[in-house]
Amino acid sequence: MKSRWFTPLLIALTLASIAVHFWSTNEPLRFTLASISLLLWAALLGKATESVAHYAGERLGGFLNATFGNAAELIIAIFLVQKGLFDMVKASITGSIIGNLLLVLGLSIFAGGLKFKTQSFNTLLAGHNASLMLLAVIALFSPAAFDTQLDPSEMETFSLIIAGLLIASYLLWLIFSMITHKKELGEEPAVEVPTSDISQTSVAHEEKPEWTKNRSILLLFIAAVFVAIQSEWIVGSVEAVAHTLGWSELFVGAFLIAIIGNAAEHSAAIFLAMRNRIGAAVEIAVGSSLQIALFVAPALVFISLLFGKTMNLTFTAIEIAAIAIAAFIATSISRDGSTNWFEGVLLLIVYAILGTGFYLV
Amino acid sequence: MKSRWFTPLLIALTLASIAVHFWSTNEPLRFTLASISLLLWAALLGKATESVAHYAGERLGGFLNATFGNAAELIIAIFLVQKGLFDMVKASITGSIIGNLLLVLGLSIFAGGLKFKTQSFNTLLAGHNASLMLLAVIALFSPAAFDTQLDPSEMETFSLIIAGLLIASYLLWLIFSMITHKKELGEEPAVEVPTSDISQTSVAHEEKPEWTKNRSILLLFIAAVFVAIQSEWIVGSVEAVAHTLGWSELFVGAFLIAIIGNAAEHSAAIFLAMRNRIGAAVEIAVGSSLQIALFVAPALVFISLLFGKTMNLTFTAIEIAAIAIAAFIATSISRDGSTNWFEGVLLLIVYAILGTGFYLV
Amino acid sequence: MKSRWFTPLLIALTLASIAVHFWSTNEPLRFTLASISLLLWAALLGKATESVAHYAGERLGGFLNATFGNAAELIIAIFLVQKGLFDMVKASITGSIIGNLLLVLGLSIFAGGLKFKTQSFNTLLAGHNASLMLLAVIALFSPAAFDTQLDPSEMETFSLIIAGLLIASYLLWLIFSMITHKKELGEEPAVEVPTSDISQTSVAHEEKPEWTKNRSILLLFIAAVFVAIQSEWIVGSVEAVAHTLGWSELFVGAFLIAIIGNAAEHSAAIFLAMRNRIGAAVEIAVGSSLQIALFVAPALVFISLLFGKTMNLTFTAIEIAAIAIAAFIATSISRDGSTNWFEGVLLLIVYAILGTGFYLV
């Protein structure tokens, strides 16, 4: 962002993208402009997240990034809930969770691992992330396990109670991790172990940030908003293309939309991992998944109440299997608090297997 | 127990409770007297367990507490087996395992965590507990997995062989943990980290116990017997009330009865956790679960042989799921050998989810 | 092998065994000679593996042992694929994976644990082994999970893509573990903790090996070939006997054949564990399982293409359950990078439970 041309270019492209979005029907032009503009905003978002992390710590930086990113997804999901499209909501929740745990985390760990032989982060945090992911899997599995024995109204009650318990545990988690045990879950002293054979450039963490703390948070917020808007526009185009090609709803919802919809998490996490701030990258990827599973999904259950038709929490067997698989492999590679390129590959391979399955269905 | 009024009060209330149990039909009076008397006995049991732990180590203290507690459950289960009420036996085994792993352990960790920022215990023991819980899950899952492919007599054979293998592994575990690797599994040097903001009172472990070793074990035994008898009386009352309210057999068996039936483990484990002896609390809660799964349940299979009708080990899908969920989350939070209040909350949330499901069925 | 009579005896018995195999129909004689001769070759193989491990490290020694052992299994499986006996191929893959993870690893850890109180190996390797086993479970579970929703040709495509991804991840794993992170995954400094009460004989690792490096590898190769050939002959006899006794295909394929077919891994792993080289033993047992799951099984899918009929990767529910159970318990006991006799017992108990189930089906 040091270059003089960045800000003017960003503004020009954004305006152009807005113009064609509202006054043109030239689909390829709209898609291209939105994509390039998205890339620039995503770069700014990554930079802003790093800057916030510098002032407020990796965990808060990652948390804000994930929250701003998920706010957009929550808004989109509310529209779907209003229309009663519960299956699509659940598919996109599934896609978002596995996209963050496998694709975002996998790419971050892989990219970071190409530059640094071993990257490490707080093991206590890794352990708690694992337990919270397991809670999410249990909470989404339980309604399905009891499904045949409960009638619809009992299932509604069950879903509402689970949703309440999940939100309670997420709020308590924030109190635990941001207040009572903030220090214990903080970043480890960053030990930089550059890979001898690939690249020696070790980035100095002490680098003075360009922006003040408040400015960083503001830029993080603005960038997240534009990333959300423009990824939403791209989703529209992609959806049209996908349906022309005859791809299934499930694949489009759980993979294509999730990939573009999580652009904010993608760019920032990879950006940070390549600067050896793997702790922040994990916080974004895993933290975002947890927020979706423990806060966004249950919140949607309560929001559906307002529209008069309760969305329950019974996911399909394949969705639950995919979420459980993603949670288990992500836990298995991250539990020791250290990562390397091969562990990134493992996550990406699992993502490819699930993606193939969802594509073929 | 230092107070002078404790022993007279205990004796008076116990006698009163016995009197109304046999000569009165006033249900509320019987229930109230039994409950208060139970509370006093449970307090004595906790104190006696701590005293035994002082002389013989946390592990042996915990083991004796769990064994005396489970002896009562075994006796009750034998009566049910004799009547051929196998489903109720399995429900109560399930309830006892998840009650210990989620409720007792969760409350202990939560209560201890409110007083101490981080509590730690032997990680090698945590790892072995996890492997043994997994063995229990595998052993209870296997008959169900093969269920459709085996006829009833083959399933009896399968259940008997599994039961024999489980008892063998439990006995070998006692040899391993009490003889060949006693030292390796012993308590860690207790590092007390009182939470700065909640309470500073750190209990000195060197505190001279009030009772001699033999007297402690005797009191532990007597208290366990009275806790067992009186929790049994309360179970009777509760069951009557529950059926009036129309609660399901499964919920009453797996939750209500298990909660009251494990009063011995509850009181002692929480008592010890709040004195920063989390190792003993884990030993009671997890050790009691393991004893139920690896010894009591298989012993009941053999005992059923004596009554002429073999109980097999095929649990329902929901029971297996509940046991597996409890084992996995308990393992996930305890594997690193350190606990805090939020990990207690996680266990309690999972218990609430399962309890809701069982209640609604 | 220091004794003078070993080599002449080995040659004499091998020649005798070959003679009766081709010119005699006396089944008991053929079986006895092949078995004794196999034992001698297996002993030589163990010794050669240890010698290679001395020069090239435990990991490469273990890898070569596993590879030579699995080469034989691959050849046998190719004949079965050619005949279209896909179910038998899958049963033998299942048997080989659980045999290595439970029986070979269990016996090694148990035997080593009788001699040494605690044996330890590289924890980073243990963690990666666990993640790779989980990948294998996910890859074999996924086709079954999507089974009802895919038609046969889609399932073929899915199986081929998964097979390609597994082979890619296995090759990348070799690059990772043998090249980029060889040092990090190397053996820990061997800390020998002889059990005080059982045996004090601690084997000096510095012992000068009898053979040169090249000679060791050559002997490892030759011994592996003879072990493979003779275990194949024994399998033939055993199969005949088993069918006479009316044992099921599944039990014979997944247990009897797997036990004899993995003779190479068995002998070498136990031999090494008793010399306190538990790292090499784990490498053989777990490494062999991983090679079967991530390389042999997917390679067979591609090989089946050559014969005109594609073998898919849908295993039965029981096979997947058995593989997952074996992977989870092996991971649970090995994750901390230290083992003892009781952990060996746990693996053997689980093997016995599964074996009983497969026998009764």
Side-chain angles (χ1 to χ4, degrees):
Chain A
M1 323 298 137
K2 299 233 162 144
S3 51
R4 276 179 213 165
W5 50 263
F6 184 82
T7 314
L9 189 68
L10 178 69
I11 294 171
L13 273 163
T14 307
L15 291 177
S17 166
I18 293 171
V20 298
H21 181 76
F22 287 107
W23 295 293
S24 161
T25 56
N26 184 337
E27 198 67 56
L29 182 69
R30 291 166 65 172
F31 181 80
T32 311
L33 278 173
S35 300
I36 301 175
S37 160
L38 174 71
L39 279 180
L40 295 179
W41 280 109
L44 184 66
L45 183 72
K47 182 83 181 168
T49 305
E50 196 195 15
S51 188
V52 171
H54 177 93
Y55 291 109
E58 295 192 348
R59 299 206 58 251
L60 194 61
F63 173 72
L64 291 177
N65 177 295
T67 303
F68 291 153
N70 286 335
E73 290 179 72
L74 179 61
I75 292 164
I76 298 167
I78 290 174
F79 287 119
L80 295 174
V81 164
Q82 194 178 11
K83 292 182 203 154
L85 300 170
F86 298 154
D87 286 348
M88 203 177 281
V89 172
K90 289 175 191 172
S92 82
I93 287 171
T94 306
S96 197
I97 293 173
I98 64 178
N100 274 301
L101 285 181
L102 298 176
L103 185 63
V104 177
L105 190 59
L107 280 176
S108 302
I109 290 175
F110 181 68
L114 288 184
K115 243 179 137 176
F116 302 94
K117 196 155 198 173
T118 306
Q119 299 189 294
S120 47
F121 60 100
N122 190 303
T123 52
L124 190 65
L125 180 63
H128 279 74
N129 279 344
S131 296
L132 284 163
M133 277 315 315
L134 186 56
L135 172 64
V137 171
I138 291 170
L140 299 185
F141 169 75
S142 295
F146 286 94
D147 196 20
T148 55
Q149 308 198 21
L150 300 181
D151 62 42
S153 83
E154 286 172 338
M155 183 52 81
E156 262 181 38
T157 312
F158 195 24
S159 298
L160 282 168
I161 290 173
I162 291 178
L165 290 169
L166 290 185
I167 290 177
S169 55
Y170 190 70
L171 296 179
L172 289 169
W173 164 244
L174 294 184
I175 291 172
F176 173 79
S177 64
M178 304 279 188
I179 301 173
T180 75
H181 287 62
K182 187 174 196 286
K183 221 179 71 189
E184 284 75 12
L185 295 170
E187 44 256 58
E188 305 269 282
V191 183
E192 300 194 6
V193 189
T195 42
S196 51
D197 48 346
I198 303 177
S199 155
Q200 297 279 5
T201 53
S202 116
V203 176
H205 272 188
E206 299 72 25
E207 200 181 303
K208 209 181 163 309
E210 219 174 312
W211 304 318
T212 64
K213 186 174 173 181
N214 286 338
R215 195 187 171 90
S216 304
I217 295 179
L218 183 70
L219 281 172
L220 176 57
F221 177 74
I222 294 174
V225 168
F226 274 95
V227 164
I229 294 172
Q230 298 201 306
S231 55
E232 185 48 21
W233 292 353
I234 296 172
V235 162
S237 310
V238 165
E239 233 168 329
V241 174
H243 289 140
T244 313
L245 295 172
W247 295 354
S248 76
E249 283 279 324
L250 190 62
F251 178 71
V252 174
F255 283 77
L256 277 195
I257 295 183
I259 289 172
I260 303 167
N262 285 314
E265 286 91 339
H266 285 174
S267 56
I270 296 166
F271 183 89
L272 288 162
M274 293 180 69
R275 270 158 184 72
N276 207 20
R277 291 179 171 263
I278 194 75
V282 167
E283 185 60 31
I284 291 173
V286 180
S288 180
S289 291
L290 290 175
Q291 203 175 54
I292 295 277
L294 303 180
F295 186 80
V296 173
L300 289 169
V301 173
F302 286 109
I303 289 166
S304 72
L305 270 183
L306 304 178
F307 299 122
K309 198 173 164 233
T310 314
M311 180 176 89
N312 64 33
L313 278 175
T314 43
F315 283 64
T316 67
I318 287 186
E319 287 169 342
I320 295 169
I323 292 172
I325 284 172
F328 290 160
I329 189 82
T331 294
S332 181
I333 70 114
S334 68
R335 186 138 225 168
D336 62 353
S338 99
T339 59
N340 54 55
W341 69 264
F342 184 69
E343 296 185 313
V345 167
L346 277 182
L347 294 178
L348 296 173
I349 296 252
V350 172
Y351 193 64
I353 292 175
L354 292 179
T356 307
F358 276 76
Y359 177 81
L360 290 172
V361 161
Chain B
M1 321 298 134
K2 298 232 160 144
S3 51
R4 273 177 216 168
W5 51 263
F6 183 82
T7 314
L9 189 68
L10 179 69
I11 294 172
L13 272 163
T14 306
L15 291 176
S17 165
I18 293 172
V20 297
H21 181 76
F22 289 107
W23 294 292
S24 161
T25 55
N26 185 338
E27 197 68 54
L29 182 68
R30 291 166 65 172
F31 181 80
T32 311
L33 277 174
S35 300
I36 301 174
S37 163
L38 175 70
L39 279 179
L40 295 179
W41 279 110
L44 184 65
L45 183 70
K47 181 83 181 167
T49 305
E50 195 195 16
S51 188
V52 171
H54 177 93
Y55 291 109
E58 295 191 349
R59 301 206 56 251
L60 194 61
F63 173 73
L64 290 177
N65 177 294
T67 303
F68 292 152
N70 287 335
E73 290 179 72
L74 179 60
I75 292 164
I76 298 168
I78 289 174
F79 288 118
L80 294 174
V81 164
Q82 194 177 11
K83 293 182 202 152
L85 300 170
F86 297 155
D87 286 349
M88 201 176 284
V89 173
K90 289 174 190 171
S92 82
I93 288 171
T94 305
S96 198
I97 293 173
I98 64 178
N100 274 300
L101 285 182
L102 299 176
L103 185 63
V104 177
L105 189 59
L107 280 177
S108 303
I109 289 175
F110 180 68
L114 287 185
K115 242 181 138 174
F116 302 93
K117 195 154 200 173
T118 305
Q119 299 190 295
S120 47
F121 59 101
N122 189 303
T123 52
L124 189 65
L125 179 63
H128 279 75
N129 279 344
S131 296
L132 283 162
M133 278 314 315
L134 185 56
L135 171 64
V137 172
I138 291 170
L140 299 185
F141 169 75
S142 295
F146 286 94
D147 196 20
T148 56
Q149 307 198 21
L150 300 179
D151 61 41
S153 83
E154 286 172 339
M155 183 52 82
E156 263 183 35
T157 313
F158 195 24
S159 298
L160 282 168
I161 291 173
I162 291 179
L165 290 169
L166 290 184
I167 290 177
S169 55
Y170 189 69
L171 297 179
L172 289 169
W173 164 245
L174 293 184
I175 292 172
F176 173 79
S177 65
M178 304 279 189
I179 301 172
T180 76
H181 288 61
K182 187 175 195 286
K183 221 179 70 190
E184 284 75 12
L185 295 171
E187 44 256 59
E188 306 269 281
V191 184
E192 300 193 7
V193 189
T195 42
S196 51
D197 48 346
I198 304 176
S199 155
Q200 296 280 4
T201 52
S202 116
V203 176
H205 273 189
E206 300 72 25
E207 198 181 304
K208 210 181 162 310
E210 217 173 313
W211 305 318
T212 64
K213 185 174 174 180
N214 286 338
R215 193 186 172 90
S216 305
I217 294 179
L218 183 70
L219 281 172
L220 175 57
F221 177 74
I222 293 174
V225 168
F226 275 94
V227 165
I229 293 171
Q230 298 200 308
S231 55
E232 184 48 20
W233 290 352
I234 295 172
V235 161
S237 310
V238 166
E239 233 167 328
V241 174
H243 289 139
T244 312
L245 295 172
W247 295 354
S248 76
E249 283 279 324
L250 191 61
F251 178 71
V252 173
F255 283 77
L256 276 196
I257 295 184
I259 289 172
I260 303 167
N262 285 314
E265 287 92 339
H266 286 174
S267 57
I270 296 165
F271 183 90
L272 289 162
M274 292 181 70
R275 270 157 185 71
N276 208 20
R277 291 179 171 262
I278 193 76
V282 168
E283 185 60 30
I284 291 173
V286 180
S288 180
S289 291
L290 290 175
Q291 203 175 54
I292 295 278
L294 303 179
F295 187 81
V296 173
L300 288 169
V301 173
F302 286 109
I303 289 166
S304 71
L305 270 183
L306 304 178
F307 299 122
K309 196 172 165 236
T310 313
M311 180 177 90
N312 63 33
L313 278 176
T314 43
F315 283 64
T316 68
I318 286 187
E319 287 169 342
I320 295 169
I323 292 172
I325 284 172
F328 291 160
I329 190 81
T331 295
S332 182
I333 71 112
S334 68
R335 186 139 225 167
D336 62 353
S338 99
T339 60
N340 54 55
W341 69 264
F342 184 69
E343 296 186 314
V345 167
L346 277 182
L347 295 179
L348 295 172
I349 295 253
V350 173
Y351 193 65
I353 292 176
L354 292 180
T356 308
F358 276 77
Y359 177 81
L360 291 171
V361 162
Chain C
M1 323 297 135
K2 297 233 162 145
S3 51
R4 275 179 215 166
W5 51 264
F6 184 83
T7 314
L9 188 69
L10 178 68
I11 294 172
L13 272 163
T14 307
L15 291 177
S17 165
I18 293 172
V20 298
H21 181 76
F22 288 107
W23 295 293
S24 162
T25 55
N26 184 337
E27 198 66 58
L29 182 68
R30 290 167 65 173
F31 180 80
T32 310
L33 277 174
S35 299
I36 301 174
S37 162
L38 175 71
L39 279 179
L40 295 179
W41 279 110
L44 185 66
L45 183 71
K47 181 84 180 166
T49 305
E50 195 195 16
S51 188
V52 170
H54 177 93
Y55 291 110
E58 294 191 349
R59 299 206 59 250
L60 194 61
F63 173 72
L64 291 177
N65 177 295
T67 304
F68 292 153
N70 286 336
E73 289 179 72
L74 179 60
I75 292 164
I76 298 167
I78 290 174
F79 287 119
L80 294 174
V81 164
Q82 194 177 11
K83 292 183 202 154
L85 300 170
F86 297 155
D87 286 348
M88 202 177 282
V89 173
K90 289 173 190 171
S92 82
I93 288 170
T94 305
S96 197
I97 293 173
I98 64 178
N100 274 300
L101 285 181
L102 299 176
L103 184 64
V104 176
L105 190 59
L107 280 176
S108 303
I109 290 175
F110 181 68
L114 288 184
K115 244 181 136 174
F116 302 94
K117 196 154 199 174
T118 305
Q119 300 190 295
S120 48
F121 60 99
N122 189 303
T123 51
L124 189 64
L125 180 63
H128 279 75
N129 279 344
S131 297
L132 284 163
M133 278 314 315
L134 185 57
L135 171 64
V137 171
I138 291 170
L140 299 184
F141 169 75
S142 295
F146 285 95
D147 196 19
T148 54
Q149 308 198 22
L150 300 180
D151 62 40
S153 83
E154 286 172 337
M155 184 51 82
E156 262 183 36
T157 312
F158 196 24
S159 298
L160 283 168
I161 291 173
I162 291 179
L165 289 169
L166 290 184
I167 290 177
S169 56
Y170 190 69
L171 297 179
L172 289 169
W173 163 244
L174 293 184
I175 291 173
F176 173 79
S177 64
M178 303 280 189
I179 301 173
T180 75
H181 288 61
K182 187 175 195 286
K183 221 179 70 191
E184 284 75 12
L185 296 169
E187 44 258 60
E188 306 268 282
V191 184
E192 300 194 8
V193 189
T195 42
S196 51
D197 48 345
I198 304 177
S199 155
Q200 296 279 4
T201 52
S202 115
V203 176
H205 272 189
E206 300 70 26
E207 200 182 303
K208 207 182 164 311
E210 219 174 312
W211 304 317
T212 65
K213 184 174 175 180
N214 286 339
R215 194 186 171 91
S216 305
I217 295 178
L218 183 70
L219 281 171
L220 175 58
F221 177 74
I222 293 174
V225 168
F226 275 95
V227 164
I229 292 171
Q230 297 201 308
S231 55
E232 185 48 20
W233 292 353
I234 295 171
V235 162
S237 310
V238 165
E239 233 168 327
V241 173
H243 289 140
T244 312
L245 296 172
W247 295 354
S248 76
E249 283 279 323
L250 191 62
F251 179 69
V252 174
F255 282 77
L256 277 195
I257 295 183
I259 290 171
I260 303 166
N262 285 315
E265 286 93 339
H266 285 173
S267 56
I270 296 165
F271 183 91
L272 289 161
M274 292 181 70
R275 268 157 186 72
N276 207 20
R277 291 178 172 265
I278 194 74
V282 168
E283 185 60 30
I284 290 174
V286 180
S288 181
S289 291
L290 289 175
Q291 203 176 53
I292 295 277
L294 303 180
F295 187 80
V296 173
L300 289 169
V301 173
F302 286 109
I303 289 167
S304 72
L305 269 183
L306 303 178
F307 298 123
K309 198 173 165 233
T310 313
M311 180 175 90
N312 64 34
L313 279 175
T314 43
F315 282 65
T316 67
I318 287 186
E319 287 169 342
I320 295 169
I323 292 172
I325 284 172
F328 291 160
I329 189 83
T331 294
S332 181
I333 70 113
S334 68
R335 186 139 227 169
D336 63 352
S338 99
T339 60
N340 54 55
W341 70 265
F342 183 70
E343 296 185 314
V345 166
L346 276 182
L347 295 179
L348 295 173
I349 296 252
V350 172
Y351 193 65
I353 291 175
L354 292 180
T356 307
F358 277 76
Y359 177 81
L360 291 171
V361 161

